[in-house]
Amino acid sequence: MELSYLNSTVHNHSTLCDGKNTLEQMALAAWQQGFEVLGFTGHSHTPCDLEYCMSPSRTAKYKAEINRLKAMYKGKMNILCGLEWDQFSDDDRRGYDYWIGSVHYLCGPCTGRYYEIDFRPQDLMACMRDDFGGDGMAMAEAYFASVKEIAAQKPTILGHFDLIKKLNLVSTYFDENNPRYKQAALDALAECAKSVKVLEINTGGVARGYRSDFYPSAFLLKEWKALGGDVIITADAHSTENLRWGYEQAAEVAKAAGFDRVAVMNKDAGFDFCAI
Ligand SMILES: [Zn+2]
Ligand SMILES: [Zn+2]
């Protein structure tokens, strides 16, 4: 039977990084909700912020616990051990079933400080003020330059392409309709298409109330289609109730951008395709 995009969820966190549920709770919920493939993608260790990502000892626990769960669910549900790899990650990316390449920080060009861009408005504000002379657009351009760098490392999936908009719901930092913003994003997307096949449509920002639109924005999805790329729907779930959050709505968004199929990760961490 063809694997449906509704039965595979491969961008998920747990209490070993910044999630709310344990790996075991996430696995049980996924199985109860009828998933055939469950992939975990804990935040890899970075020196930027120890609250958000897995420490080396948590990473060891993460791998061991996923191995245990893989055995426990054998024949019932396929569990994959992935990693959400950050631009500033400093641990070993080898040995995982797949990895999502994501940017969560900016490193200030003047101060050298790391700024968390996706859940601390005070960080984003300080970054704009102290490192970009108050120019939020320049900060967005620096973000997209970082996305290009991580894409060049050929991630299995490129994560939340325009995460920099997460805290920008009322255009506090920059205007997403400004041609300069759109150009920076489109230029980065074209560059990413040279090394990445699959971009995620990530529903997590909407699920958690930060945004009313998914990552990436519609104009970027249309361009990704024109560039010949594929998309996968992910929920970036940090809790059991969000494992499939917004999947059907995301499929509609993909259709509206011109896609007639979405990529679905299979039990071998390869991609099948599902008509939408
Ligand atoms: Zn992320
Ligand atoms: Zn994530």
Side-chain angles (χ1 to χ4, degrees), residues 11 13 18 41 43 52 84-86 100-104 118 159-160 163 166 200 202 208 236 238:
H11 187 161
H13 298 278
D18 59 346
T41 49
H43 286 291
Y52 182 63
E84 186 167 14
W85 176 263
D86 190 87
I100 296 178
S102 296
V103 174
H104 302 99
D118 84 336
H160 42 63
L163 184 74
K166 180 170 175 180
E200 65 173 3
N202 178 318
R208 289 182 283 160
D236 205 344
H238 287 67

Side-chain angles (χ1 to χ4, degrees), residues 22-38:
T22 62
L23 293 166
E24 182 159 11
Q25 288 166 343
M26 293 290 272
L28 177 62
W31 179 65
Q32 287 172 337
Q33 291 171 32
F35 282 100
E36 290 175 46
V37 176
L38 167 66

Side-chain angles (χ1 to χ4, degrees), residues 5 225 229-231 251 254-263 273-276:
Y5 72 91
K225 173 67 184 157
D230 273 297
V231 289
K255 249 195 253 184
F259 291 91
D260 57 9
R261 68 177 195 178
V262 290
F273 292 95
C274 174
I276 52 171

